[in-house]
Amino acid sequence: MPTLILVRHGRSTANTEGLLAGWTPGVALDERGAAQAAALPGRLAGLPLSEIVASPLQRCQETIRPLLDARPGLRAHTDERIGECHYGDWSGRKLAELKDEPLMEVVQAHPSAAAFPGGESMRAMQTRAAEAVREWNARVERDHGADAVYLMCSHGDIIKSLVAEALGLHLDLFQRISVEPCSVTAIRYTRLRPFLVRLGDTGDFASLAPRQEPPGDEATVGGGAGAP
């Protein structure tokens, strides 16, 4: 079965403003995010990508644009099932405000029971994304062979939930996974089991250095802004 390259979109204006973007329209890459996207073709130059699948949201479409420009023969597809979690009434709000919401404790500690007001549950988010991957695995293998490599550009919580699913982790453990903006995660699927071969690789270790303000023990809903 194919190898899936999961790319989180580059840093967005919502990331730097501390907003939970969700499906809010008009959320673009910021200057750093655009630079991250511009570097992506070079980082992936050694991979014979057969297809690109992206979330319909602007920040993902902007992230894959340099890659498509560098490989004009590569086909791109949009799949809403790998779009961001539908955060409902939380969309567009500041994360600093949301941390005091009672639901945030559930999102952190028991996400399989979390459902966003006016939005979807985290279980539903993971289910739709995993179904999309299974269908694309079959399609890519049919069209390009079992050794094919393809790319999906998606969002932090989506990628974390797919990693958890591949590792056989309960969704309640997915907040222990971290993927920074424009990071590369790779999952090689086989007939019997998936293998996680890369996780959140940015090629930059700056985010591991001590910070003036420690990141704390809670996961950033939506994925966070990455290294300062």
Side-chain angles (χ1 to χ4, degrees):
M1 295 179 71
T3 295
L4 170 60
I5 307 299
L6 287 161
V7 175
R8 186 182 167 202
H9 62 78
R11 196 174 73 175
S12 73
T13 54
N15 293 145
T16 49
E17 292 171 9
L19 300 176
L20 185 62
W23 284 70
T24 304
V27 177
L29 299 182
D30 67 7
E31 184 176 352
R32 178 170 180 171
Q36 291 170 332
L40 198 57
R43 291 171 62 198
L44 301 178
L47 292 178
L49 297 175
S50 58
E51 306 274 0
I52 289 182
V53 187
S55 157
L57 294 172
Q58 180 178 338
R59 51 199 182 273
C60 287
Q61 296 292 321
E62 290 179 351
T63 298
I64 64 169
R65 177 49 52 195
L67 189 57
L68 292 172
D69 290 343
R71 303 193 192 194
L74 193 57
R75 290 188 297 175
H77 312 269
T78 297
D79 194 325
E80 291 194 356
R81 293 174 297 176
I82 62 167
E84 182 63 283
C85 185
H86 290 277
Y87 296 117
D89 297 345
W90 279 27
S91 299
R93 292 181 60 187
K94 285 191 173 294
L95 289 163
E97 298 172 358
L98 292 170
K99 70 178 183 179
D100 295 325
E101 293 279 354
L103 178 60
M104 182 60 84
E105 186 176 11
V106 181
V107 170
Q108 292 292 327
H110 190 20
S112 65
F116 296 97
E120 70 179 333
S121 69
M122 302 198 94
R123 288 193 318 277
M125 173 199 74
Q126 183 186 46
T127 297
R128 62 172 164 85
E131 287 177 351
V133 167
R134 282 190 284 271
E135 289 182 19
W136 278 103
N137 281 348
R139 178 172 173 175
V140 169
E141 182 172 4
R142 180 196 68 204
D143 294 345
H144 302 282
D147 295 327
V149 180
Y150 75 107
L151 182 147
M152 281 186 169
C153 183
S154 187
H155 307 265
D157 282 349
I158 294 288
I159 294 172
K160 288 162 56 177
S161 74
L162 289 171
V163 169
E165 200 262 351
L167 291 176
L169 294 177
H170 197 283
L171 184 61
D172 285 345
L173 301 179
F174 100 124
Q175 297 289 27
R176 302 183 183 193
I177 299 166
S178 176
V179 289
E180 291 199 2
C182 225
S183 62
V184 173
T185 294
I187 302 171
R188 179 167 58 87
Y189 289 88
T190 73
R191 185 174 65 87
L192 297 180
R193 63 182 64 86
F195 292 88
L196 178 67
V197 293
R198 293 287 189 280
L199 176 62
D201 189 343
T202 63
D204 178 3
F205 296 102
S207 64
L208 302 179
R211 303 184 189 182
Q212 290 183 340
E213 295 184 8
D217 58 4
E218 289 193 348
T220 302
V221 182

